Amino acid sequence: MGRRTPASSTTITTLLSLAGLVAALQTTLVIPLLPDFPEILDVSAGAATWLVTITLLTGAVATPIVSRSADMFGKRRMMVLSLAMMVVGSLIAALGGSYLAVLVGRALQGFSSALIPVAMAVLRDLLPREKVAGAVALTSATMGIGGALGLPAAGVLYDTLGWASVFYVSAAAGVLLLIGILVTVPAGASGTR
C-alpha cells in the first residue's frame, strides 16, 4: 500500500514529467541560435559554443550535489532551488543583452538538470509502489522528448519573436512549474540526513 498524498498520482506524475521535459529543453534551447549568436553577441563562433557547453558543465556538477542535498534537506526544497536558478538564469540571459550575461544565464539554467533525478526520487517517495515504475519511465522518456522538441520550438520562437523570447518562454515555464511543485509536492518529501 502506497503513501497518501494530497494530490493524485496522475497529477504528481504529470507535473514531474513536465519538470523533466523543461529540464531537457534547457540543453537544446540555444542550438538553433548558435549560427547567429556570434553576430548577435559580437563574439567568435568558438565562444558562442560555450553557450551550450556551460549548461552541460553546470548540470554535470550540480546534479550530484543537488541530488545529495535533496536527500539531506528535502526534495521539494531542492526542486524549488533548481527551478529558481533556471528562472533567474533565463531572465539574466534574456535581459542582459551581452555575451557574459547570456553565458551566466546559461550556466544557471544548467541547474535544471538536477530536476530529473530528484523528481524520480519524489515519485518513489509519494506514489504507490505499483505506479512507481511507470511514472519513472515516463519521466525518463520526457528527457528524449524535451531534447527533440527543443530544437524546432527554439527555432520557431527565434524566427518569430527574436532570440530573447527563447529565454522568456523558459522563464515562464519555470515559474509555472515552480508554482505547481509548491502546490502539489508535499514539503515533507524528504529523506534523512
Side-chain angles (χ1 to χ4, degrees):
M1 188 139 187
R3 296 183 189 114
R4 286 236 183 250
T5 61
S8 72
S9 296
T10 303
T11 302
I12 290 171
T13 301
T14 301
L15 179 70
L16 296 182
S17 294
L18 288 173
L21 182 74
V22 168
L25 285 170
Q26 301 311 305
T27 59
T28 58
L29 196 62
V30 299
I31 291 174
L33 288 70
L34 280 180
D36 295 338
F37 264 146
E39 184 180 338
I40 294 168
L41 300 174
D42 194 28
V43 294
S44 68
T49 61
W50 271 99
L51 298 175
V52 174
T53 306
I54 194 74
T55 305
L56 299 172
L57 184 61
T58 304
V61 173
T63 298
I65 294 169
V66 171
S67 297
R68 179 64 182 134
S69 298
D71 288 337
M72 295 170 58
F73 305 113
K75 293 174 181 75
R76 183 174 88 162
R77 182 177 292 162
M78 291 300 113
M79 290 183 80
V80 166
L81 173 69
S82 296
L83 278 169
M85 297 292 272
M86 186 196 88
V87 169
V88 168
S90 298
L91 292 174
I92 288 172
L95 297 170
S98 70
Y99 174 70
L100 182 60
V102 177
L103 188 68
V104 169
R106 289 290 292 157
L108 292 175
Q109 284 182 321
F111 275 83
S112 65
S113 295
L115 286 170
I116 296 165
V118 178
M120 290 180 187
V122 169
L123 290 170
R124 282 194 315 271
D125 286 353
L126 298 180
L127 298 186
R129 186 173 298 158
E130 65 275 7
K131 293 187 177 188
V132 171
V136 168
L138 178 63
T139 303
S140 295
T142 60
M143 292 167 43
I145 295 166
L149 289 177
L151 295 171
V156 168
L157 283 170
Y158 174 49
D159 286 343
T160 57
L161 300 171
W163 69 270
S165 67
V166 172
F167 298 107
Y168 285 123
V169 168
S170 178
V175 167
L176 292 174
L177 272 173
L178 193 57
I179 293 167
I181 286 170
L182 287 171
V183 169
T184 305
V185 177
S190 62
T192 57
R193 293 180 185 267

